[in-house]
Amino acid sequence: MRVLVTGGAGFIGSHVVAVLAAGGHVPVVLDALLPAAHPRAPEPPDAEFVRGDVRDAEAVGRALRGVDAVCHQAAMVGLGKDFADAPEYVACNDLGTAVLLAAMARAGVRRFVQAGSMVVYGEGRYECRGHGVVRPGPRAAADLEAGRFEPRCPRCGDGLVPGLVDEDAPADPRNVYATTKLAQEHLAAAWARSTGGTAVSLRYHNVYGPGMPRDTPYAGVASFFRSALARGEAPRVFEDGAQRRDFVHVRDVARANAAVLAGAEGLPAGGHTAYNVGSGDPHTVGEMAAALAAEHGGPAPVVTGEFRLGDVRHITADSSRLRRELDWSPEVGFAQGMAEFARAGQRASAGAGQR
């Protein structure tokens, strides 16, 4: 299968290209190589390469020639610095996806896999002992400033027990990036209905691994900690470090993209399907920082009590749908992955977060 990988020179995209090539597919890379994401020109990808922005219809049209499917990884990622980033997030993520899908409709390409995100859920799944499954609202700044980090039951105020979130949980995006990722899913669903195509959104949980960008406010927490260690500094852990996440290795994420392509014939034409992509082995942010620091040789993490509005407390994945329907399972465990990541190189970054 000839597969276009947008953002194929970036962190996740380059791993997707490698997995597809190893599986006998013919990857084609579309990447703008924007200086903000690639301050130094990367090594040419081991694939046919089209340099162009996903928002450029002419470049997208050239890249789609002869293509059977698209893996859409190009995006601006992370929470960013402040709301001033909103226009760029919307342009990169939503306008870019719309231009790509419109070009696919014209070219007759009917298989679409996109990099979704866990951030569309907002907070994860919680249960109250008295009221069952509940959805807490955004945490108040006053509570965070006072060190009250755990969400409370919106009905009785009692403490909650976090659990695994599945794909049927209602969407509740709580920052600009999350809003754009949900909009991408709606665009994909509309495209599928209009064209009879097959659209899949892989809701990545906390992806980490070799080649993550360093020293950028647009990357994930694993990159923040690894960048600090590379500078000889202690990782700074926000809140109390007890936030729960599902850290999934980038090679397992790339394999999930390949699994969707392999199982595309069994997916509904004209439909959109979402799959969580997680390790199934949740850990706290503090545990991840400690594991990285130990494998790197220190310094030990520092828990700061700082916080960012828009962050959520606990979000961990139920990935059973992907395991059951497409025979995917993660291969890189937490200890193995953190040991590798602690020693692996990171890509230079000038401060922005396009994949």
Side-chain angles (χ1 to χ4, degrees), residues 299-317:
V302 174
V303 177
T304 69
E306 297 171 88
F307 63 88
R308 300 189 304 177
L309 284 175
D311 275 345
V312 298
R313 180 61 174 174
H314 303 297
I315 176 72
T316 54

Side-chain angles (χ1 to χ4, degrees), residues 213-224:
R214 68 171 183 257
D215 299 324
T216 165
Y218 297 89
V221 66
S223 177
F224 295 168

Side-chain angles (χ1 to χ4, degrees), residues 121 123-125 163-167 169 205 276 315-319:
Y121 298 117
E123 287 284 356
R125 184 180 189 276
L164 303 181
V165 63
D166 65 21
E167 294 88 350
H205 283 246
N276 285 331
I315 176 72
T316 54
D318 178 351
S319 300

Side-chain angles (χ1 to χ4, degrees), residues 252-311:
D252 287 328
V253 168
R255 289 177 46 255
N257 281 266
V260 171
L261 294 177
E265 297 294 342
L267 295 171
H272 170 263
T273 308
Y275 292 103
N276 285 331
V277 183
S279 70
D281 182 25
H283 288 268
T284 69
V285 171
E287 288 170 344
M288 188 268 285
L292 267 183
E295 292 291 346
H296 191 270
V302 174
V303 177
T304 69
E306 297 171 88
F307 63 88
R308 300 189 304 177
L309 284 175
D311 275 345

Side-chain angles (χ1 to χ4, degrees), residues 6-305:
T6 69
F11 167 47
I12 296 176
S14 60
H15 285 273
V16 171
V17 168
V19 166
L20 293 179
H25 298 292
V26 179
V28 179
V29 171
L30 174 67
D31 201 300
L33 300 182
L34 296 177
H38 301 278
R40 294 194 299 269
E43 291 295 320
D46 188 17
E48 184 178 331
F49 178 66
V50 177
R51 183 166 184 171
D53 196 300
V54 74
R55 294 167 287 186
D56 180 346
E58 190 277 330
V60 172
R62 284 189 286 116
L64 282 170
R65 290 171 187 161
V67 160
D68 303 298
V70 173
C71 283
H72 182 33
Q73 309 297 316
M76 188 171 176
V77 302
L79 190 59
K81 291 180 288 189
D82 55 42
F83 198 82
D85 290 325
E88 190 69 8
Y89 272 105
V90 172
C92 288
N93 297 356
D94 298 338
L95 176 60
T97 299
V99 170
L100 173 62
L101 290 169
M104 290 175 62
R106 290 190 296 269
V109 181
R110 296 293 181 261
R111 293 179 181 175
F112 182 67
V113 186
Q114 74 172 0
S117 175
M118 65 173 187
V119 295
V120 301
Y121 298 117
E123 287 284 356
R125 184 180 189 276
Y126 292 88
E127 287 194 38
C128 170
R129 283 182 291 271
H131 296 102
V133 176
V134 296
R135 292 193 61 77
R139 296 179 295 169
D143 285 336
L144 298 172
E145 289 166 355
R148 296 188 293 268
F149 301 121
E150 292 292 340
R152 313 294 293 184
C153 176
R155 298 177 63 183
C156 68
D158 281 354
L160 300 173
V161 178
L164 303 181
V165 63
D166 65 21
E167 294 88 350
D168 296 325
D172 186 17
R174 298 191 176 181
N175 56 57
V176 171
Y177 171 59
T179 302
T180 66
K181 296 308 287 184
L182 183 58
Q184 284 184 305
E185 293 198 11
H186 289 314
L187 286 166
W191 167 86
R193 287 191 297 270
S194 174
T195 64
T198 299
V200 170
S201 296
L202 292 175
R203 291 174 178 169
Y204 302 160
H205 283 246
N206 286 71
V207 185
Y208 73 96
M212 282 194 90
R214 68 171 183 257
D215 299 324
T216 165
Y218 297 89
V221 66
S223 177
F224 295 168
F225 294 164
R226 180 65 181 79
S227 296
L229 290 166
R231 298 191 301 267
E233 301 172 3
R236 295 177 62 82
V237 180
F238 280 15
E239 301 187 16
D240 58 0
Q243 312 93 300
R244 287 167 58 84
R245 297 289 188 270
D246 189 319
F247 299 100
V248 59
H249 196 278
V250 66
R251 289 196 297 273
D252 287 328
V253 168
R255 289 177 46 255
N257 281 266
V260 171
L261 294 177
E265 297 294 342
L267 295 171
H272 170 263
T273 308
Y275 292 103
N276 285 331
V277 183
S279 70
D281 182 25
H283 288 268
T284 69
V285 171
E287 288 170 344
M288 188 268 285
L292 267 183
E295 292 291 346
H296 191 270
V302 174
V303 177
T304 69

